[in-house]
Amino acid sequence: MSEKIKVAVTGAGGRMGREVVKMVLEDASLELVAAVDRSGAGQDAGELAGLKPCGIIAASDLDLALSENKADVLVDFTVPSVVYANTVTAIRHGVRPVVGATGFTPQQIEELDGLCREANIGGLIAPNFSIGAILMMQFAAKAAEYLPHVEIIETHGDQKLDAPSGTAIKTAELIAQGREKIKQGNPDEEEILPGARGGEYDGFRIHSLRLPGVFAQQEVVFGGYGQSLKIRHDSYERAGYMPGVNIGIKKVMDYTGMVYGFEHLM
Ligand code: NAD
């Protein structure tokens, strides 16, 4: 058997980080070598993930953890305020970053690409690791080339702070790139209740539903003469992102430079 890929995880005590720890511990080709978390420091990473103890105690300092443990890949699901610094720290240790936490500027991504190339290692920043969600966006962009009348309906839990979702905005951007520029609907349309027609993006509408019990759904609805097409993706739980993270960990070993967007590895 080829050598195991040694994985460190930052944000190991968070909702996404716990799923990452579980996925790494359950894949025989991966080895968890370090875990770092601000609130979970001092606890066994396996226990944080709801499994039996694995002997890796979550540390509070990434730089120290990477000095003491040789890692090939760092998976980061922390918070926007620290993710850039964590990514730089990983690259300085020659550890390939696979990053799910959001909050990079385009300039930072360019800088990180340069740092990865200098260190001769690969890196991955993926705002969405869900394979199904990425396919939904790509199919929607393709359909919009033929059926330019489109509306997006996204549904998330009622505690979500932002609307529309990042995925809806990304979908809208991709649709707008290939869609014939038209202003949809009746030009004399009147909104009796403000907001009833949703938010406007480049001449089409995005609707955000917020309901308890829902994790994440998106439907892209196209209308044509005598027909409609619906492309829909449903996420049920955070574990749904893990096949993408697993692929990212394995593929990042084989190239140089920072890749932005999981779709480029599919
Ligand atoms: P969370 O709040 O549950 O977890 C964040 C964890 O990071 C916490 O345990 C916290 O203690 C830890 N942390 C904070 N600062 C730290 C530091 N300096 N060093 C180490 N650990 C630190 O959040 P979450 O729901 O797990 O989401 C984490 C991130 O992942 C967010 O940015 C979220 O938007 C993103 N996310 C990405 C995807 C994707 O597919 N790429 C999917 C879901 C969430």
Side-chain angles (χ1 to χ4, degrees):
M1 199 180 133
S2 57
E3 235 178 274
K4 291 184 180 194
I5 301 174
K6 296 181 167 56
V7 183
V9 180
T10 24
R15 286 167 293 190
M16 288 296 286
R18 292 196 296 264
E19 292 294 336
V20 176
V21 166
K22 203 185 289 181
M23 178 270 289
V24 171
L25 291 173
E26 287 171 353
D27 184 335
S29 67
L30 305 179
E31 182 187 352
L32 185 72
V33 294
V36 181
D37 194 82
R38 186 159 281 175
S39 49
Q43 297 178 57
D44 185 282
E47 285 184 319
L48 276 175
L51 305 173
K52 58 182 184 350
C54 66
I56 303 292
I57 304 300
S60 57
D61 187 277
L62 175 63
D63 195 32
L64 195 62
L66 293 182
S67 300
E68 290 174 350
N69 303 282
K70 157 116 194 58
D72 299 307
V73 175
L74 171 76
V75 181
D76 188 293
F77 278 95
T78 54
V79 288
S81 55
V82 300
V83 65
Y84 175 74
N86 283 354
T87 309
V88 171
T89 302
I91 299 169
R92 296 221 185 285
H93 281 270
V95 178
R96 299 156 187 82
V98 169
V99 184
T102 46
F104 291 97
T105 64
Q107 196 194 343
Q108 285 177 330
I109 294 170
E110 216 177 296
E111 281 166 26
L112 293 167
D113 179 44
L115 292 179
C116 277
R117 287 177 192 283
E118 272 170 35
N120 200 25
I121 57 172
L124 171 65
I125 295 172
N128 198 327
F129 272 105
S130 164
I131 293 167
I134 287 169
L135 290 174
M136 173 265 294
M137 288 188 254
Q138 291 180 343
F139 294 158
K142 189 73 194 158
E145 291 175 20
Y146 301 92
L147 295 166
H149 291 261
V150 57
E151 306 221 2
I152 298 175
I153 306 165
E154 56 97 344
T155 313
H156 282 83
D158 62 344
Q159 294 308 303
K160 185 170 173 60
L161 292 171
D162 52 326
S165 70
T167 301
I169 293 172
K170 179 80 182 158
T171 311
E173 285 170 4
L174 292 174
I175 286 174
Q177 281 168 20
R179 169 181 172 269
E180 178 195 337
K181 295 257 174 292
I182 49 167
K183 175 117 177 66
Q184 290 175 205
N186 190 325
D188 297 326
E189 181 181 81
E190 194 187 339
E191 238 181 11
I192 309 297
L193 187 67
R197 291 288 291 116
E200 184 176 333
Y201 185 97
D202 206 39
F204 60 96
R205 301 284 175 159
I206 305 178
H207 310 266
S208 297
L209 282 59
R210 296 291 175 260
L211 294 166
V214 180
F215 184 54
Q217 296 173 347
Q218 182 167 291
E219 193 165 79
V220 188
V221 186
F222 296 89
Y225 290 107
Q227 60 183 316
S228 73
L229 171 67
K230 293 178 181 168
I231 300 172
R232 176 178 165 131
H233 179 255
D234 294 81
S235 279
Y236 300 108
E237 52 180 339
R238 288 182 179 79
Y241 296 104
M242 291 308 121
V245 178
N246 186 281
I247 292 170
I249 291 171
K250 290 170 184 171
K251 290 209 172 178
V252 78
M253 299 296 291
D254 296 332
Y255 62 84
T256 302
M258 183 62 84
V259 168
Y260 177 59
F262 183 70
E263 59 275 20
H264 301 296
L265 297 189
M266 280 167 68

